[in-house]
Amino acid sequence: MLLAVEAISALVDLLLSRWYAGAAAICVPAVVLAGRMRWRAAVRRRRAERLAHLRLDLAAEIDRLDPTAFENAVRDLMIRDGVDARRVAGAGDRAADLIGRNGDRRVIVVQCKHTITGKKVDARVIRQVNGTAEHAHGADVAVVVTNGSFTKGAVEFAAEVGIHLVDRETLRTWAEEGARLQELLGLDSVVRPWRRPRGRLRRHRRIGAAEPSRRQRT
């Protein structure tokens, strides 16, 4: 016990005699962190300003993109609408190409499916998103975006589990006409993030967009 007391006393004396070193050890990382946060905020602000009036022609531009460029285009449209979005696609992405945070702090997870053949997105894709969006990525809102269309089974299953679908006509309204993603998905009607244990995607769909839109049914 005496040795422990002496060791603590020696440590206190050392800290008091070298108080400036302790202060520097605390202040320098804090200043660096604050600087990095301000820099990132400035980058996001400049990017949002640059994309504020973004419009993309569906046939002339979006249809000609490769899958990666399509993901980047959808990300830019989300940023235009005030969603802090980033691309996460790659090996092991677990059915998520983009993850964004809306102004009300809801997490939006997006799976992009680009097609140049007119092929429809089937229910298998919706099942993959349903299995990972919330549990793997913490999604409050899950979305599948395509420049094509969805099969009847995909539309029905998406409505059942609460996953939003953006098909070709909805994408045209979003990209060409400048409609906000939040309006298209009916997210503006929910003022605060909705939280509960597992399964919230299904409940959130019923609150924010209970029925598939007319465009989603086509």
Side-chain angles (χ1 to χ4, degrees):
M1 290 181 64
L2 289 175
L3 289 175
V5 171
E6 290 179 0
I8 294 173
S9 177
L11 178 60
V12 171
D13 290 340
L14 178 62
L15 291 176
L16 291 176
S17 64
R18 297 289 189 270
W19 62 269
Y20 51 84
I26 295 174
C27 293
V28 171
V31 171
V32 172
L33 179 61
R36 291 186 63 182
M37 292 178 64
R38 292 186 62 180
W39 176 77
R40 289 178 179 177
V43 170
R44 289 195 297 268
R45 183 172 61 253
R46 288 195 296 269
R47 184 173 59 178
E49 292 171 353
R50 176 173 56 86
L51 298 173
H53 303 290
L54 177 66
R55 298 291 186 274
L56 296 174
D57 185 273
L58 184 60
E61 296 179 276
I62 293 179
D63 284 347
R64 298 181 180 182
L65 299 175
D66 60 39
T68 298
F70 180 59
E71 293 163 6
N72 290 332
V74 173
R75 177 204 60 196
D76 289 348
L77 289 170
M78 294 172 69
I79 293 172
R80 182 201 70 184
D81 295 342
V83 180
D84 185 12
R86 58 188 176 89
R87 182 173 173 269
V88 296
D93 60 22
R94 291 183 290 182
D97 295 319
L98 307 168
I99 296 179
R101 192 174 291 273
N102 197 23
D104 56 12
R105 310 309 295 170
R106 274 180 290 182
V107 175
I108 302 176
V109 172
V110 179
Q111 174 78 337
C112 300
K113 290 297 179 182
H114 188 271
T115 176
I116 58 175
T117 63
K119 183 179 179 181
K120 294 185 177 182
V121 178
D122 59 27
R124 176 181 56 84
V125 174
I126 311 303
R127 292 191 181 94
Q128 291 174 346
V129 173
N130 183 58
T132 61
E134 180 183 357
H135 300 282
H137 305 293
D140 297 295
V141 180
V143 189
V144 180
V145 180
T146 182
N147 64 324
S149 59
F150 295 91
T151 65
K152 180 180 178 181
V155 173
E156 292 175 348
F157 186 70
E160 177 185 344
V161 298
I163 294 176
H164 298 269
L165 303 182
V166 175
D167 65 3
R168 185 173 182 82
E169 290 306 311
T170 307
L171 180 59
R172 187 191 306 277
T173 303
W174 185 22
E176 292 187 8
E177 300 177 14
R180 294 172 65 249
L181 178 65
Q182 295 88 334
E183 296 173 356
L184 293 172
L185 303 186
L187 302 183
D188 288 337
S189 61
V190 182
V191 178
R192 299 180 59 189
W194 189 82
R195 296 287 184 186
R196 72 182 179 97
R198 298 301 178 186
R200 62 176 176 265
L201 286 178
R202 180 191 298 258
R203 176 71 175 273
H204 177 79
R205 174 69 175 189
R206 291 174 179 170
I207 295 175
E211 296 294 334
S213 67
R214 180 179 60 81
R215 294 187 180 94
Q216 290 174 353
R217 297 193 188 101
T218 58

